[in-house]
Amino acid sequence: MKHIPLSVKRYLYLLNGVLLLLLLGVGYAWSIFVGPLEAWFGWSRTETSLAFTLNIIFFAVGVICCGILSKYFHYQRIAQLAGLLLAGGFLLTTRVTEIWQLYLTYSVLCGASVGMCYSAVISTIPLWFRDRSGFATGILIMGYALSTTLLGPVCQTLLSSLGWQTTFFILGIVDLIIIVLGGCFVRMPKAKEFEALPAPSMASVRSTRNVPTKEMLKSPTFYFIFVYIVTLGSVGLAVINHISPLLTGELGMAAAAAAMVVSIGSLFNGFGRLIIGVIFDKIGGIATTRLLSTVNVAVVLLMYLAYRSQYLPALIILVCAALFIFGGNSSTIPSVTRGLYGDEHFASNYSIIMLNSVFSPITASIVGVLQERTGSYEYMFYLLVFCAVSSTICAWSARESK
């Protein structure tokens, strides 16, 4: 890569990062594995659901591990280690016979390794795009989000023709080869390369201060941003988890049509990550959070009205809008973190910010309990309005670093 022009090299690094995140995201197609595993072992839905919940929690643990390891090792080595662990997790999953073993292989090992590699990619590749940090981050996270849409059907075909054990085995081998090799190109620009890169715009310029994690935790803005991320993310996760049973159970939509709505919503989720990333480059981080949260309040209120009136076309459009905002929020988290607290301690600071992934799913779980007890999704919208308003208050309370 030494003789490749810098203007080309950075896009090759971006393409490699997208490929890695595309592979990392396949674990989120968990729902297609649930049926075969339950049929094979006789496990309950509660048991298999816990596997995915633990996977999300250990994703956050993996992000924290990356932040710690980055102080001692290059990001290439962290990404390659994550590739080895992820491959090991999938390969060991082929040998499970008890549910606790699945929790160790898929939930702990795969979840943590995905978090490690994800954080390594997000910590390095956007630095090659000083002028378009939001765009680069959006492209990367869009690849991660679209993994289920693009690779989910491939996994479904493998499951149908070869069975769950062979499918996990193939995933393990593919991850071993591609992530370990691709990890060689997960790196930060060297000093001379960084100086030669196009300068950022005034709107997307990062903080001139590099804020250590301990100092970040003393900043009121950190807590406003953290709660903003948790509450805005809660809206999207609740919609993702419950829109299909809401449409089929309460509004009488056919299962195939509801599945199509979910697929279309996934596309809006993915493209929101790119488009909002571009907007971030134009108007900056805090302004983007305020825009997203304010529009989200309107979307949630209109979604509730569409639900009460049972007007399906409007409800579907608003679901897509909510997932577009959810995707945009996901893509701006790294950029906002970097913009507020600088590059030097990014991996460590980002690992703390990403603890939001532990708290954001709680609302979706509460919605499930309320729906089970009342037989209605009415209370879901009350919770979503509360989360949307809370995120808006926090976004408008946060301040740019000086």
Side-chain angles (χ1 to χ4, degrees):
M1 301 269 295
K2 289 183 179 180
H3 303 293
I4 299 177
L6 192 62
S7 59
V8 176
K9 182 189 293 185
R10 65 177 187 158
Y11 281 98
L12 293 177
Y13 285 136
L14 179 62
L15 181 61
N16 177 69
V18 170
L19 177 60
L20 293 182
L21 292 188
L22 189 67
L23 286 174
L24 294 177
V26 76
Y28 283 86
W30 174 246
S31 60
I32 67 174
F33 294 97
V34 168
L37 289 172
E38 290 177 351
W40 185 280
F41 292 105
W43 293 333
S44 69
R45 183 59 50 89
T46 299
E47 290 175 316
T48 54
S49 296
L50 180 58
F52 184 67
T53 301
L54 290 173
N55 181 279
I56 294 175
I57 292 172
F58 277 91
F59 171 90
V61 173
V63 174
I64 294 173
C65 288
C66 179
I68 296 171
L69 291 173
S70 66
K71 298 176 182 179
Y72 307 100
F73 302 100
H74 293 299
Y75 284 105
Q76 295 103 312
R77 299 294 172 259
I78 297 173
Q80 290 173 323
L81 173 61
L84 290 171
L85 294 175
L86 181 58
F90 280 133
L91 294 174
L92 288 172
T93 299
T94 67
R95 311 300 298 172
V96 302
T97 57
E98 302 288 342
I99 190 67
W100 66 266
Q101 296 171 343
L102 181 71
Y103 296 156
L104 288 177
T105 60
Y106 169 77
S107 303
V108 176
L109 202 53
C110 291
S113 56
V114 168
M116 286 172 58
C117 192
Y118 177 95
S119 182
V121 172
I122 296 300
S123 297
T124 55
I125 304 305
L127 292 177
W128 293 89
F129 293 83
R130 299 171 61 202
D131 55 328
R132 307 179 73 188
S133 174
F135 162 80
T137 305
I139 285 283
L140 289 168
I141 300 181
M142 182 178 71
Y144 187 70
L146 293 180
S147 178
T148 300
T149 303
L150 298 177
L151 298 183
V154 176
C155 292
Q156 184 64 67
T157 301
L158 291 173
L159 282 169
S160 300
S161 58
L162 300 175
W164 68 269
Q165 290 169 310
T166 304
T167 301
F168 276 121
F169 180 83
I170 292 172
L171 288 174
I173 296 300
V174 170
D175 286 340
L176 178 65
I177 296 171
I178 295 181
I179 296 179
V180 171
L181 291 177
C184 296
F185 306 102
V186 177
R187 72 175 185 87
M188 301 171 66
K190 297 177 182 177
K192 289 184 178 180
E193 292 172 324
F194 191 79
E195 292 174 1
L197 291 168
S201 65
M202 289 304 297
S204 62
V205 68
R206 302 183 184 92
S207 171
T208 55
R209 300 174 59 223
N210 287 301
V211 182
T213 303
K214 288 183 179 180
E215 187 177 341
M216 178 187 76
L217 292 173
K218 297 176 182 178
S219 163
T221 286
F222 162 76
Y223 294 97
F224 286 129
I225 289 297
F226 188 83
V227 175
Y228 155 81
I229 293 169
V230 169
T231 49
L232 193 65
S234 294
V235 173
L237 288 174
V239 171
I240 289 170
N241 277 273
H242 294 285
I243 190 59
S244 181
L246 184 153
L247 291 172
T248 56
E250 287 196 34
L251 302 182
M253 180 179 284
M260 180 63 68
V261 172
V262 172
S263 296
I264 295 171
S266 297
L267 292 175
F268 275 84
N269 181 359
F271 288 117
R273 298 170 189 239
L274 172 60
I275 295 171
I276 299 301
V278 173
I279 292 174
F280 171 91
D281 289 331
K282 301 294 184 183
I283 67 175
I286 296 298
T288 302
T289 65
R290 291 171 177 171
L291 173 65
L292 287 175
S293 59
T294 303
V295 174
N296 197 48
V297 171
V299 168
V300 170
L301 288 172
L302 291 172
M303 195 188 307
Y304 174 60
L305 293 177
Y307 163 77
R308 287 299 303 270
S309 63
Q310 297 193 3
Y311 186 50
L312 283 175
L315 182 60
I316 292 169
I317 291 171
L318 291 163
V319 164
C320 291
L323 294 181
F324 181 89
I325 293 169
F326 173 75
N329 175 55
S330 300
S331 73
T332 56
I333 294 172
S335 300
V336 169
T337 305
R338 184 170 269 127
L340 288 173
Y341 305 112
D343 295 327
E344 184 176 342
H345 306 284
F346 172 79
S348 178
N349 292 340
Y350 183 59
S351 70
I352 301 300
I353 293 283
M354 282 304 292
L355 288 174
N356 77 86
S357 62
V358 175
F359 300 100
S360 293
I362 292 175
T363 298
S365 299
I366 295 173
V367 168
V369 172
L370 290 173
Q371 194 282 331
E372 187 174 344
R373 291 184 177 181
T374 65
S376 169
Y377 276 108
E378 178 89 15
Y379 291 97
M380 177 180 81
F381 291 97
Y382 299 157
L383 277 175
L384 297 191
V385 170
F386 172 78
C387 289
V389 172
S390 298
S391 68
T392 303
I393 292 172
C394 290
W396 283 91
S397 300
R399 296 289 181 266
E400 298 279 5
S401 296
K402 295 182 180 180

